[in-house]
Amino acid sequence: MTGNLGDIDLRALRQTLGCFVTGVTVVTALDGAGAPRGFTANSFTSVSLEPPLILFCIGKNAGSFDTFRTCGSFAVNILSESQREISNRFAGKVADRFAQIGWQPGQSGAPLLEGALGWLECTTEERIDAGDHVIVVGRVIAFRSGGDRPLGYFRGAYVNFGLEQKALYDLRDHKLVIGCIAQQAGQIMLCRRSREEGWTVPNSALAPSGQNPKGALQSLFDRLGADIKFSFLFSVFSPPGEDSEYVVYRGGFGTPWQGANVEGLEARLFAFAEMPWQEIKSRQVSNMLRRYWQERASARFGIYVDSPDGGQVAALDGPPSSWQKADPPRPGKEGAVSHEV
């Protein structure tokens, strides 16, 4: 959906801004009475290394706005994957957000939360009025980082990166094939070397050997003249008869693409109604593509990992569930699923 500057649909704008994956932080400080205050923020970014500057944004209607409008110092606590409840607590209307929360004062007294992936303690450098928010720029005076996984946020929901990291870690000693389900306007790219070999998703095994899998896949896209932007992990599986593990991502085209035939390799775009199901290279690839269309129609994606009991799908938020192959519902109008990738 698009909007004009003179007539912006704020709900649609919020959805578009939600396409940007962020981390989650809790910004803390002491108020004028010396009491700890804090709020959940994903509007945080680094600004400069020399001098070391960061910034966050706070809404003028926030309950702790007066504290951060006047404080001389503050801390940014970068939350780990296990701190989802802390994020919710500091985002909600809780009388005492620090009750039963482990923390210790930093150099300035600003609360540093236990279990945070990292924290940065800052003196306030500058405040900039910006619409219904204020941008607070801080100079870093102390910091620390840990080795846990981050808490992510995407389209109004938390993102769990744990399964992707575990899958890639478990596969590090195997022959790895990196693939991508690349979408353009309701169509996906499939490739094949010959009719006998069958269609499959573009992957590093289709490229000349001698490169690492990610580099080989990028070389394949370069040969095909396809500008692909990678998104989330979608599937991990092992085709029968192959000594390889496939790790397949989702992706989208940065610029329009019409198909290509290069050096014995054919690549085309297929809409759902045109999918050559009988000519797909393997059962696992076929099942993966059916699941892709099914999840695309419902706009709710997960990560599939193959296993002897039929595999599991872990949603970006929530527990894994068993995967049962089903014919995907036919996608409706493009606008109904246009927010995919």
Side-chain angles (χ1 to χ4, degrees):
M1 180 178 292
T2 60
N4 298 317
L5 290 178
D7 184 24
I8 287 184
D9 182 333
L10 295 182
R11 181 178 179 182
L13 176 59
R14 181 185 293 273
Q15 291 176 342
T16 300
L17 294 173
C19 294
F20 184 62
V21 181
T22 70
V24 184
T25 71
V26 168
V27 186
T28 59
L30 298 180
D31 65 15
R37 301 298 298 271
F39 72 102
T40 299
N42 65 344
S43 54
F44 160 78
T45 186
S46 61
V47 175
S48 168
L49 288 177
E50 298 180 3
L53 301 177
I54 58 91
L55 68 78
F56 68 89
C57 301
I58 182 170
K60 294 177 180 178
N61 62 350
S64 55
F65 176 71
D66 286 343
T67 296
F68 292 96
R69 181 176 60 85
T70 59
C71 66
S73 58
F74 61 88
V76 177
N77 297 269
I78 303 169
L79 299 190
S80 66
E81 187 179 76
S82 62
Q83 293 181 303
R84 184 179 304 189
E85 291 306 316
I86 290 180
S87 172
N88 291 335
R89 184 180 186 87
F90 280 85
K93 297 184 181 300
V94 179
D96 184 359
R97 293 175 173 175
F98 288 88
Q100 300 179 343
I101 297 293
W103 65 277
Q104 61 183 4
Q107 294 181 20
S108 66
L112 307 177
L113 303 185
E114 292 182 5
L117 180 62
W119 52 258
L120 304 108
E121 192 171 5
C122 307
T123 56
T124 303
E125 185 85 358
E126 184 179 3
R127 293 182 178 87
I128 304 167
D129 190 81
D132 56 5
H133 279 62
V134 167
I135 301 169
V136 181
V137 180
R139 180 183 290 259
V140 178
I141 59 173
F143 58 92
R144 192 213 68 183
S145 62
D148 203 353
R149 292 190 293 263
L151 181 62
Y153 199 69
F154 172 68
R155 292 194 186 280
Y158 295 114
V159 179
N160 183 344
F161 296 107
L163 182 58
E164 174 172 1
Q165 292 187 356
K166 180 180 185 301
L168 293 179
Y169 180 83
D170 290 346
L171 299 176
R172 68 193 188 282
D173 294 327
H174 293 69
K175 180 181 177 182
L176 198 60
V177 176
I178 303 293
C180 180
I181 299 178
Q183 175 196 299
Q184 175 178 281
Q187 298 177 302
I188 62 171
M189 178 198 289
L190 296 180
C191 303
R192 67 178 179 183
R193 288 197 180 98
S194 67
R195 292 181 180 274
E196 290 73 25
E197 186 171 297
W199 293 101
T200 188
V201 295
N203 62 72
S204 57
L206 295 173
S209 60
Q211 293 178 291
N212 67 68
K214 284 192 174 180
L217 180 59
Q218 186 59 59
S219 295
L220 175 66
F221 284 134
D222 291 344
R223 287 170 54 204
L224 296 173
D227 177 20
I228 304 298
K229 310 298 183 183
F230 292 93
S231 181
F232 293 111
L233 180 72
F234 184 72
S235 190
V236 180
F237 63 91
S238 303
E242 295 189 28
D243 60 350
S244 302
E245 298 281 357
Y246 280 66
V247 176
V248 181
Y249 291 83
R250 286 159 42 210
F253 288 79
T255 56
W257 183 80
Q258 300 299 323
N261 287 275
V262 293
E263 302 173 10
L265 185 67
E266 179 184 3
R268 286 177 50 192
L269 291 172
F270 292 90
F272 171 78
E274 303 166 340
M275 287 292 294
W277 296 113
Q278 302 303 316
E279 301 175 54
I280 301 296
K281 182 176 180 180
S282 71
R283 175 183 62 82
Q284 278 80 2
V285 171
S286 178
N287 287 349
M288 176 185 67
L289 292 173
R290 288 178 183 277
R291 182 173 66 87
Y292 170 82
W293 287 110
Q294 179 177 322
E295 295 186 1
R296 183 178 182 276
S298 63
R300 182 172 177 81
F301 286 87
I303 302 170
Y304 168 84
V305 177
D306 197 16
S307 64
D309 61 358
Q312 287 189 321
V313 177
L316 292 181
D317 182 26
S321 59
S322 297
W323 163 243
Q324 299 294 332
K325 187 182 75 170
D327 289 331
R330 181 180 297 274
K333 294 182 179 179
E334 182 62 21
V337 290
S338 60
H339 59 285
E340 147 60 2
V341 181

